[in-house]
Each structure stands twice: as structure tokens, then as C-alpha cells.
């Protein structure tokens, strides 16, 4: 039996929570990236690239993140990817949140405080990922690049993701970005953390209100003709 998609009224009731998850998640994602920067033990591959470019251009790392996100989004065109609200919001919100957090978060010194800040940043990044992806407003520009290349090349998601991450990591390191033990810790931990928090923040199935008599009759009539019209058209 095929499941009936939620009616517009049910979808509308979920919209405030979805929007809240999207923007809280994106804000926390930027904040978590700032934690990794201040920890000074190594960034995730894309932020190594952003930091390296920021060093060369004299821009803030958040501004570079916004610019790179916009450029990556242009690569969606030949890949025939369609951006959503979450995609466009990701381009701007993460970089702005990152710069705002860096403006108030001081540098830390000493291995123990650095390790604590690194751990907090990685965990917070997993929380943020679970929040904004569960909102289902579309992937970020970098994730969309991965899925687009996967679909166009036929290569596995794992191979495409690894290739992209290694490329930006190498480029960022050559530009002067910070790669280190934190980069390895992030790579090992972010998958399991994201999977955990995707379950934690998954949206509950909407409870449908009772159908009116007219809606019930219309649904019954549609069910009675299901599978008949295609056979007639093919005859």
C-alpha cells in the first residue's frame, strides 16, 4: 500500500520548526567552525582551504567561505543541480556566523584548552549538521557538488567525497591553511556524529486531521481507478 503524502495544512504546521532548525543549524555550523579555528589544532578540509585563501587575500575567513560557497554554487549549473532555500542560506549564514563568533571568541593557549575547544567544535558541528539537514530545505553548495558529481560521473559518493576533500585540503595546506590532528579527528568523528544527530533532530511524521466525508469519497474514487488508466492508455 502506498503512503499518502501529508496534506498542505499538515506540511504548513511543520514549517516553523523546519525554518528554526535550518537557521539555528547554520548558525551553529559557523560557530563550530570558529571553535576549530581558535583551537589551532587543524580545521576540516574546506576550512583549511578557506583559511589558506583568507591568508592570501587578506579577507576574513567567513567572507572567503561565502565567496567560495557562491562559486561552488555556480558549478551546480552544468551538473543540473537545483538549489533550495537551505542551499542559498548556507552560502551566507555559515560565513557570517563564523566571523561573528571569531569576533568574540578569544585565542586559547595550552594543549588541554585547545583540545577541549576542538572537541566542542567537532561535536557542535555534528549537532549543526543534524539540525540543518533534517530541516530538508536542500543541501549546502559543497554537499550538492558532491551529489551532482556522483550522479554525473557514476562514481561512488565515498570516492567523490574523498576526492573533493583531499583536493581542497591539499590546496588549502599549500596556501597556508592549518591542517593537523584536528583535521584527522574531524574526519573520523563527523560521520558518526552526523548520523546520530540526524536521528535526534528528525522531524516527526505529521499527524493528519480526520478527513472530511468529501475527501474520503475522493480518495476512494482515486484508489478505485489506480492502475486502470495506464492500461487503457497503453491499449
Amino acid at each position: 500500500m502506498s503512503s499518502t503524502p501529508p496534506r498542505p495544512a499538515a506540511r504548513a504546521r511543520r514549517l516553523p520548526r523546519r525554518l528554526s532548525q535550518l537557521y539555528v543549524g547554520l548558525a551553529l555550523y559557523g560557530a563550530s567552525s570558529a571553535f576549530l579555528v581558535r583551537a589551532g589544532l587543524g580545521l576540516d578540509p574546506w576550512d583549511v582551504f578557506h583559511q589558506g585563501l583568507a591568508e592570501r587575500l587578506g579577507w576574513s575567513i567567513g567572507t572567503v567561505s561565502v565567496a567560495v560557497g557562491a562559486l561552488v554554487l555556480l558549478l551546480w549549473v552544468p551538473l543540473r543541480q537545483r538549489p533550495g532555500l537551505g542551499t542559498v542560506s548556507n552560502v551566507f549564514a555559515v560565513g557570517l556566523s563564523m566571523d561573528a563568533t571569531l569576533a568574540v571568541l578569544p585565542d586559547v593557549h595550552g594543549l588541554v584548552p585547545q583540545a577541549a575547544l576542538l572537541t566542542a567544535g567537532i561535536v557542535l558541528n555534528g549537532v549543526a549538521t543534524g539540525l540543518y539537514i533534517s530541516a530538508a530545505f536542500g543541501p549546502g553548495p559543497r554537499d550538492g557538488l558532491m551529489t551532482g558529481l556522483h550522479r554525473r560521473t557514476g562514481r561512488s559518493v565515498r570516492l567523490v567525497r574523498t576526492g573533493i576533500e583531499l583536493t581542497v585540503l591539499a590546496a588549502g595546506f599549500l596556501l597556508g591553511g592549518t591542517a593537523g590532528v584536528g583535521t584527522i579527528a574531524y574526519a573520523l568523528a563527523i560521520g558518526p556524529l552526523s548520523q546520530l544527530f540526524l536521528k535526534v533532530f528528525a522531524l516527526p511524521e505529521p499527524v493528519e486531521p480526520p478527513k472530511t466525508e468529501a475527501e474520503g469519497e475522493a480518495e476512494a474514487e482515486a484508489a478505485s481507478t489506480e492502475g486502470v488508466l495506464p492500461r487503457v492508455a497503453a491499449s
Side-chain angles (χ1 to χ4, degrees):
M1 180 181 296
S2 61
S3 60
T4 303
R7 284 182 282 174
R11 290 195 297 267
R13 286 195 298 272
R14 300 172 66 181
L15 185 59
R17 174 170 172 178
R18 291 177 62 208
L19 287 170
S20 297
Q21 285 197 196
L22 171 65
Y23 289 109
V24 170
L26 293 177
L28 291 180
Y29 197 101
S32 71
S33 297
F35 281 21
L36 298 183
V37 172
R38 288 290 187 247
L41 297 175
L43 308 176
D44 69 88
W46 276 103
D47 279 336
V48 172
F49 182 60
H50 297 152
Q51 188 184 50
L53 277 179
E55 292 285 339
R56 298 296 177 127
L57 297 174
W59 297 356
S60 72
I61 188 172
T63 300
V64 171
S65 175
V66 171
V68 170
L71 290 174
V72 170
L73 194 55
L74 291 177
L75 297 177
W76 283 35
V77 176
L79 295 175
R80 298 180 181 177
Q81 292 279 90
R82 293 183 178 180
L85 175 64
T87 309
V88 178
S89 298
N90 184 296
V91 171
F92 298 99
V94 172
L96 294 174
S97 172
M98 189 176 184
D99 274 352
T101 305
L102 286 170
V104 298
L105 187 65
D107 289 322
V108 296
H109 304 284
L111 185 57
V112 172
Q114 286 177 289
L117 193 59
L118 171 69
T119 301
I122 293 174
V123 173
L124 187 61
N125 193 277
V127 172
T129 299
L131 277 167
Y132 93 82
I133 290 181
S134 295
F137 278 111
R142 297 158 185 82
D143 289 334
L145 176 64
M146 173 192 68
T147 56
L149 286 172
H150 157 67
R151 193 165 56 244
R152 297 287 284 181
T153 64
R155 303 293 184 181
S156 69
V157 170
R158 180 182 301 176
L159 180 62
V160 172
R161 177 66 178 262
T162 301
I164 292 173
E165 300 269 325
L166 288 177
T167 299
V168 297
L169 175 59
F173 182 73
L174 292 174
L175 289 169
T178 305
V181 65
T183 308
I184 298 172
Y186 181 92
L188 293 175
I190 195 59
L193 285 171
S194 297
Q195 184 173 353
L196 169 64
F197 288 110
L198 280 169
K199 293 179 180 178
V200 171
F201 297 115
L203 293 169
E205 290 297 321
V207 178
E208 294 285 348
K211 295 181 176 62
T212 65
E213 184 177 349
E215 287 176 327
E217 291 175 355
E219 186 174 302
E221 182 178 351
S224 67
T225 59
E226 185 177 357
V228 175
L229 294 180
R231 289 197 296 270
V232 172
S235 62

